[in-house]
Amino acid sequence: MKRIKLIVILMILIIGIPSIVDAKLRVVVSYNYIADIVKKIGGEEVVVTPLSKGYKDPHYITPRPSFIAKMRKADLLIINGGQLEIGWIPPILKKANNPRINPGNKGFLDLFSFIEGIDIPKEISRAHGDVHPDGNPHFHLDPENILIVSKVIRDKLIDLNLSNKDIFTKRYKEFSEMWKKKIADWEMSLEKFSGKNVVQYHKNFDYFLKRFNLEQLGTLEPVPGIPPSTKHILEMIEIINNKGAEFIIHDVYHMKKPSRFVNRKTGVKLVVLPHDVGSVDEAIDIVSLFDEIVRRLLK
Ligand SMILES: [Zn+2]
């Protein structure tokens, strides 16, 4: 009898556990904020793997061999899109050779295609080294866009895993109701900055600024992805001195020297804002990411 029990236990260990793991949907995503939305809706029914770290420049992630292995096993690949991953996802996707997650197939999801973009050019071009040739790809920093993409992610999870439709639907409902309350809180907190001018280093926060009614005077980068020249910096200082500004917004990964210089010359507050989950210690999920952005602006 003991022997039979042992065999049963061994059978469960050998066959049972891998089959439970295998039943979960394997989702690979480019950025941490996408991973967190997938976790919030997919829960234990999915295994989600973000490829990049939150504190890196999202335009320039260095592809590692481990990314290929992760993509090879994936049922679903979710990208931000809008050319943000153009420099690093296509080569590893090709090497992974997993038809399930190729663009156009059921296991591929491009979030930008569901969003109303900002700065969409009439003609696509990378002229002057512009890293936003399809328009501004940093749409996830408008919390209203999080509502849109979390619904898209819910539908895709259901599409690939119909047996869990009810639980994905329930979690999305809970998440979206909580999120709408958070948006109302953030709007109330940021109301005092409505109509105020700001300057950014890179065009990370355009969607955020638009949502919360802040005016953008310009960026220290003359073109997205191009470091500032002395001439451009001096022009920006003159604009700030003429029009006045509330903040110079800088990200966590670019050198702060140009923004510090403008801060010294104008006296305008320099604020470093997180752009993704994991970009600063406080941003442990999508909710605390926005909480932290708002907290730093109010500080
Ligand atoms: Zn950018």
Side-chain angles (χ1 to χ4, degrees):
M1 196 62 191
K2 257 188 178 174
R3 199 182 156 88
I4 294 169
K5 257 190 186 172
L6 190 68
I7 290 169
V8 169
I9 291 167
L10 277 172
M11 292 274 284
I12 290 170
L13 281 174
I14 295 163
I15 304 163
I17 290 174
S19 71
I20 292 166
V21 172
D22 282 346
K24 293 188 180 189
L25 203 62
R26 285 159 300 192
V27 186
V28 169
V29 305
S30 48
Y31 303 110
N32 279 338
Y33 85 88
I34 307 174
D36 191 59
I37 298 171
V38 173
K39 270 184 220 159
K40 287 196 164 35
I41 297 166
E44 290 186 352
E45 281 66 33
V46 303
V47 178
V48 59
T49 311
L51 294 177
S52 60
K53 308 278 186 212
Y55 51 83
K56 299 267 188 185
D57 181 341
H59 292 282
Y60 301 106
I61 303 297
T62 308
R64 291 206 305 261
S66 63
F67 292 1
I68 300 167
K70 284 167 184 164
M71 278 199 183
R72 199 163 279 160
K73 287 184 264 175
D75 301 304
L76 172 61
L77 169 65
I78 309 179
I79 65 164
N80 180 93
Q83 302 252 29
L84 190 54
E85 297 98 337
I86 194 72
W88 62 283
I89 289 270
I92 48 173
L93 190 55
K94 199 174 171 206
K95 282 192 180 144
N97 193 25
N98 174 359
R100 283 194 303 272
I101 60 166
N102 277 340
N105 291 348
K106 203 173 168 181
F108 176 80
L109 187 58
D110 174 342
L111 299 177
F112 188 70
S113 64
F114 296 88
I115 296 296
E116 200 178 315
I118 288 178
D119 295 340
I120 305 292
K122 289 194 175 70
E123 278 177 48
I124 293 172
S125 129
R126 280 191 173 245
H128 315 296
D130 188 348
V131 293
H132 295 170
D134 275 3
N136 189 313
H138 306 294
F139 66 83
H140 77 282
L141 292 166
D142 175 351
E144 291 285 349
N145 285 339
I146 295 295
L147 277 180
I148 295 172
V149 296
S150 56
K151 197 174 185 180
V152 167
I153 288 171
R154 175 202 67 182
D155 292 346
K156 179 54 80 178
L157 294 182
I158 292 172
D159 193 21
L160 291 171
N161 196 340
L162 194 59
S163 57
N164 285 313
K165 182 182 176 182
D166 291 348
I167 187 81
F168 295 152
T169 305
K170 181 174 174 283
R171 289 200 196 109
Y172 166 76
K173 190 171 178 287
E174 286 165 2
F175 173 74
S176 59
E177 282 168 3
M178 173 276 297
W179 194 253
K180 283 174 194 163
K181 283 183 198 149
K182 290 299 295 186
I183 291 178
D185 290 347
W186 295 322
E187 276 172 348
M188 214 190 297
S189 300
L190 296 176
E191 178 116 52
K192 65 184 213 172
F193 300 128
S194 184
K196 302 270 191 201
N197 297 329
V198 301
V199 170
Q200 291 187 88
Y201 180 84
H202 178 76
K203 289 170 82 65
N204 269 321
F205 282 85
D206 289 41
Y207 292 85
F208 180 92
L209 299 178
K210 194 174 172 209
R211 173 62 52 203
F212 294 104
N213 200 28
L214 285 127
E215 300 291 330
Q216 180 163 216
L217 288 180
T219 55
L220 300 190
E221 285 183 334
V223 172
I226 301 297
S229 61
T230 309
K231 181 174 171 277
H232 182 69
I233 291 273
L234 294 176
E235 282 166 5
M236 286 310 301
I237 289 172
E238 200 181 331
I239 292 171
I240 294 169
N241 284 337
N242 285 337
K243 298 191 173 177
E246 195 73 17
F247 305 109
I248 302 160
I249 295 175
H250 197 92
D251 53 72
V252 300
Y253 52 84
H254 279 111
M255 293 255 291
K256 293 179 190 68
K257 205 175 161 189
S259 293
R260 283 199 181 119
F261 179 77
V262 177
N263 158 257
R264 277 200 307 277
K265 294 291 175 191
T266 61
V268 173
K269 186 178 166 186
L270 168 59
V271 56
V272 176
L273 295 184
H275 67 287
D276 196 2
V277 172
S279 57
V280 296
D281 290 346
E282 294 88 347
I284 55 169
D285 70 351
I286 190 93
V287 182
S288 51
L289 168 66
F290 279 85
D291 276 342
E292 185 59 15
I293 291 169
V294 172
R295 192 187 71 81
R296 288 183 183 215
L297 288 173
L298 292 171
K299 200 163 75 174

